[in-house]
Amino acid sequence: MQKKAGVGFYVFLVIFVFVIMFPFLWILLSSVKPLSELFGDQAFTWFTSNPTIQSYISVFTIRPFHLYLWNSLVVATVTTVYTVFVAAFAAYAIARLRFRGKAIILGVVLSVSMFPQIATISPIYIFLRNIGLTNSHLGLIIPYTTFALPLSIWLLVTFFRKIPFDLEESAKMDGASMMQTYFRIILPLAVPGIFTTAILVFIAAWNEFLFALVINTAEDYKTVPVGIGMFQGQYTIPWGEISAATVIVTIPLVIMVLLFQRRIVSGLTSGAVKE
Amino acid sequence: MAKKTLNDSLKKERRLGYLLVAPSLILILAIAIWPVIQSFYFSLFDYQLNDPQKSSIHLDYNLDLERYLNNQPFLLTALDNEIEVAPPEVDEVLEDIKSNVVSYDDQLLEKEGIEEPYNEVNEILFNFEVPSEELKLVTIDSSFGEDFEQTFEQVEERLVELESEDALQNADRLTGLASGLNESIIRPNFIGVSHYANNLTDVRLWRSLGNTFVFTFVSVGFELVLGMAIALLINKAFFGRGLVRASILIPWAIPTAVSAMMWKYLYDGQNGIIAKFFAEIGIIENMSVLLTTPVGAMASVILTDVWKTTPYMALLLLAGLQTIPSSLYEAASIDGASKWKQFINITLPLIKSSILVALLFRTLDAFRVFDLIYVLTGGGPANSTEVISLLAYKVMFQQTNFGEGSALAVIVFICVAIISSIYIKFLGSDLLGDGVKK
């Protein structure tokens, strides 16, 4: 269906992108309004005549938003690095080696990725509470394995399968051991796939809500989604601060998406489409 | 000879395979599968964190030595004091009660493995310290436990009776100590499938399941139709393709809780721009309808979900569309097939598995929805948007009733298992990919 796009098509595109982006746009505009203009009649004007960064300042001074950001960053990074590392070995074996039970293992991985979080949360919470890991970074990294590891294995298996088998064969001919083949030949070729997997796992861990809500209840250990989700004012909902915080977390994501969109799309669709 | 080395290398490969898979499998088993089994186990108990007698799981009778030793000696002293001042006919009853308490204590100490922790806890309490959980709880056999319950219930009843006859001087203290003693026995809290029976006859569960299904069907339905339309429209070469793709990805990439908060602002009854827009074009009567009426709230939640995930759906379907060779459409147009015919006969059959995979993941995500609703409506107004995961969360972490909450969690698990097995039946082994199927 490779057709030339007409004017009507571009009009549609502009409307489509506007609808998708409107909430962000509105939040961005609200975040620079003075507090008095967030309520009443002025709440509906597009542009404020007195832009201010007051909301941005109070996000960091009145609220510990920098702690939320730090906690999310630590938890998501450690989760990503360790699960992708562990998964890379399993995925290589499933994709390239011959042994019995591969289909069953992959089936288990897929089923676990479908588990509802709520079904694992009570034992995990009790366990973490008993060993004193609630309100800690490790207390989130452990349960995040439940979704990050199956996701990593699943994606990496599809990427490993795409690497041509001939390379391995010729390495074997040259007398390389299996581990040598893995580290010298397969791994370098798999780097793009591993990177894509890491991006997707990072986003999943960064966005997680239920475990973070239940396990880290202390203000100092909240993550960004829980922190913003629980923003409460004394009398009113602090929309100014919420808008500012939303803008702060959205901008890095926008940059990441712009930089890595090809990879993200290939990762998202790799399980869904067969070549 | 050659055959032997081939076999050897096969064996080696197999061993390496299991070795490489092992760490992942062990982690998955320990952190994902084992908790689900435990959830099911928890759901068979009357397990409530805020009730000291039910705050852990007991198949047997247990005695809380701390509570026992904090009450029993003082009860004996209080009885002695009372006996000194009481008239003879009351004395007789009190003596009897006392001998009951003492003889029970003797019997207890005769039991195997009781004496040591008994003395240890006693000493710790004597020093005004707190004994550990493991030390203070001792298991006793069930006939002895039942005996304990009967004995001390009787003690309490008789003291209460004397109290009502105004026969006691320190009535409050005596009955207080007796009831404290009564609470030191911890009954087994195994209750079988009662939680399931209670839940399945509870209107709230069925309502939340209903809400979950409405949310899932309506939002996934819209997402499929809109996503398909968008995918078909942008499946062509055009200027600015990368930019459109990036803007599609942004709603998908931001945390659901954050986007829910954002939309809560847009829907706000006083300051929300979307609420004002809808009110002005006449979709809703006034701005407050969106978050304060049951239908409005459900529609708001669904709209937010559609906004967040339609682009993602479009992306998955677009990837499917791009695998269809354009020569098929060219041939069809030469044969004079209409656009609609081409869609039905070429597009749909070829992207069937893409659609099913996208639908599977979306349906499961929608069914497990939690953060969107927790932040946007909290389940309200009047539980009209309370979905099953939210109900389970509330029972577990707001009412601290882990037994009942776990039963609800298991019900969610079973529903998810049913939904996915239906899809997988349609998909067959396609889902696992070519490499495995043999």
Short mmCIF file of all heavy atoms in Angstrom, two decimals, chain B residues 10 26 67 73 91 130 164 177 193 201 240 245 282 312 314-315 319 396 423:
data_model
loop_
_atom_site.label_atom_id
_atom_site.label_comp_id
_atom_site.label_asym_id
_atom_site.label_seq_id
_atom_site.Cartn_x
_atom_site.Cartn_y
_atom_site.Cartn_z
N LEU B 10 27.01 -33.26 21.75
CA LEU B 10 25.58 -33.04 21.97
C LEU B 10 25.27 -32.99 23.47
O LEU B 10 24.54 -32.14 23.96
CB LEU B 10 24.76 -34.15 21.33
CG LEU B 10 24.03 -33.79 20.04
CD1 LEU B 10 23.25 -34.98 19.53
CD2 LEU B 10 23.13 -32.59 20.25
N ILE B 26 15.40 -20.56 38.25
CA ILE B 26 15.33 -20.55 39.72
C ILE B 26 14.73 -19.24 40.21
O ILE B 26 13.85 -19.22 41.08
CB ILE B 26 16.75 -20.77 40.32
CG1 ILE B 26 17.20 -22.21 40.03
CG2 ILE B 26 16.75 -20.50 41.81
CD1 ILE B 26 18.65 -22.46 40.30
N ARG B 67 1.93 -13.33 76.56
CA ARG B 67 0.63 -12.91 77.06
C ARG B 67 0.21 -13.77 78.26
O ARG B 67 -0.33 -13.27 79.25
CB ARG B 67 -0.40 -13.06 75.94
CG ARG B 67 -1.52 -12.08 75.98
CD ARG B 67 -2.36 -12.26 74.74
NE ARG B 67 -1.98 -11.28 73.74
CZ ARG B 67 -2.65 -10.15 73.57
NH1 ARG B 67 -3.70 -9.87 74.32
NH2 ARG B 67 -2.30 -9.29 72.65
N PRO B 73 0.34 -15.25 86.44
CA PRO B 73 0.79 -15.06 87.82
C PRO B 73 0.00 -13.96 88.54
O PRO B 73 -0.31 -14.09 89.72
CB PRO B 73 2.26 -14.63 87.67
CG PRO B 73 2.64 -15.00 86.29
CD PRO B 73 1.41 -14.96 85.47
N ASP B 91 -15.45 -17.62 98.60
CA ASP B 91 -14.14 -18.23 98.75
C ASP B 91 -14.05 -19.58 98.06
O ASP B 91 -13.08 -19.88 97.36
CB ASP B 91 -13.85 -18.47 100.25
CG ASP B 91 -12.92 -17.39 100.79
OD1 ASP B 91 -12.59 -16.46 100.01
OD2 ASP B 91 -12.54 -17.48 101.97
N VAL B 130 11.31 -7.51 75.80
CA VAL B 130 10.28 -8.11 74.94
C VAL B 130 10.84 -9.37 74.29
O VAL B 130 11.88 -9.31 73.62
CB VAL B 130 9.84 -7.11 73.85
CG1 VAL B 130 8.72 -7.71 73.01
CG2 VAL B 130 9.37 -5.81 74.50
N SER B 164 -21.27 -9.88 88.59
CA SER B 164 -22.64 -9.40 88.46
C SER B 164 -23.43 -9.56 89.77
O SER B 164 -24.42 -8.89 90.00
CB SER B 164 -23.36 -10.13 87.32
OG SER B 164 -23.44 -11.49 87.65
N LEU B 177 -7.85 -9.73 83.87
CA LEU B 177 -6.75 -10.70 83.77
C LEU B 177 -7.22 -12.00 83.15
O LEU B 177 -6.52 -12.62 82.34
CB LEU B 177 -6.16 -10.95 85.16
CG LEU B 177 -5.28 -9.81 85.70
CD1 LEU B 177 -5.04 -9.98 87.20
CD2 LEU B 177 -3.95 -9.76 84.96
N VAL B 193 -12.18 -23.23 52.34
CA VAL B 193 -12.55 -22.37 51.23
C VAL B 193 -13.59 -21.31 51.61
O VAL B 193 -14.23 -20.73 50.75
CB VAL B 193 -13.07 -23.19 50.02
CG1 VAL B 193 -11.94 -24.02 49.43
CG2 VAL B 193 -14.23 -24.06 50.43
N THR B 201 -20.41 -15.05 47.17
CA THR B 201 -21.80 -14.66 47.45
C THR B 201 -21.88 -13.16 47.79
O THR B 201 -22.93 -12.68 48.18
CB THR B 201 -22.36 -15.47 48.63
OG1 THR B 201 -21.44 -15.38 49.72
CG2 THR B 201 -22.56 -16.91 48.25
N GLY B 240 7.78 13.09 7.69
CA GLY B 240 7.61 13.28 9.13
C GLY B 240 7.16 12.03 9.84
O GLY B 240 6.56 12.07 10.90
N ARG B 245 5.72 8.76 14.76
CA ARG B 245 5.94 7.54 15.52
C ARG B 245 6.39 7.88 16.95
O ARG B 245 5.95 7.27 17.91
CB ARG B 245 7.00 6.70 14.83
CG ARG B 245 7.12 5.33 15.44
CD ARG B 245 7.64 4.35 14.48
NE ARG B 245 8.95 4.77 13.97
CZ ARG B 245 9.67 4.05 13.12
NH1 ARG B 245 9.21 2.91 12.68
NH2 ARG B 245 10.83 4.48 12.71
N GLY B 282 -21.69 19.92 24.66
CA GLY B 282 -22.95 19.28 25.01
C GLY B 282 -22.91 17.78 25.23
O GLY B 282 -23.96 17.14 25.30
N TYR B 312 -0.28 2.50 20.86
CA TYR B 312 0.52 1.29 21.00
C TYR B 312 -0.08 0.16 20.17
O TYR B 312 0.62 -0.56 19.45
CB TYR B 312 0.55 0.93 22.49
CG TYR B 312 1.04 -0.45 22.82
CD1 TYR B 312 2.39 -0.76 22.72
CD2 TYR B 312 0.17 -1.43 23.27
CE1 TYR B 312 2.84 -2.03 23.04
CE2 TYR B 312 0.61 -2.69 23.60
CZ TYR B 312 1.95 -2.99 23.48
OH TYR B 312 2.39 -4.23 23.80
N ALA B 314 -1.95 0.60 17.56
CA ALA B 314 -1.74 0.96 16.15
C ALA B 314 -0.34 0.53 15.70
O ALA B 314 -0.16 0.01 14.59
CB ALA B 314 -1.93 2.46 15.96
N LEU B 315 0.62 0.72 16.59
CA LEU B 315 2.00 0.38 16.26
C LEU B 315 2.17 -1.12 16.03
O LEU B 315 2.82 -1.54 15.08
CB LEU B 315 2.85 0.80 17.46
CG LEU B 315 4.20 1.36 17.20
CD1 LEU B 315 4.10 2.58 16.33
CD2 LEU B 315 4.83 1.71 18.54
N ALA B 319 3.06 -2.86 12.36
CA ALA B 319 4.16 -3.78 12.11
C ALA B 319 3.67 -5.01 11.37
O ALA B 319 4.35 -5.55 10.50
CB ALA B 319 4.81 -4.18 13.43
N MET B 396 -6.58 -6.19 51.23
CA MET B 396 -5.29 -6.59 51.79
C MET B 396 -4.62 -5.46 52.55
O MET B 396 -4.16 -5.65 53.66
CB MET B 396 -4.34 -7.05 50.68
CG MET B 396 -4.44 -8.53 50.41
SD MET B 396 -3.10 -9.04 49.34
CE MET B 396 -3.94 -9.10 47.80
N TYR B 423 -7.25 -17.29 24.34
CA TYR B 423 -6.47 -16.70 23.24
C TYR B 423 -5.46 -17.68 22.69
O TYR B 423 -5.28 -17.81 21.48
CB TYR B 423 -5.73 -15.46 23.73
CG TYR B 423 -6.55 -14.20 23.68
CD1 TYR B 423 -7.00 -13.59 24.84
CD2 TYR B 423 -6.87 -13.61 22.46
CE1 TYR B 423 -7.74 -12.42 24.80
CE2 TYR B 423 -7.61 -12.45 22.41
CZ TYR B 423 -8.04 -11.86 23.58
OH TYR B 423 -8.78 -10.72 23.53
#
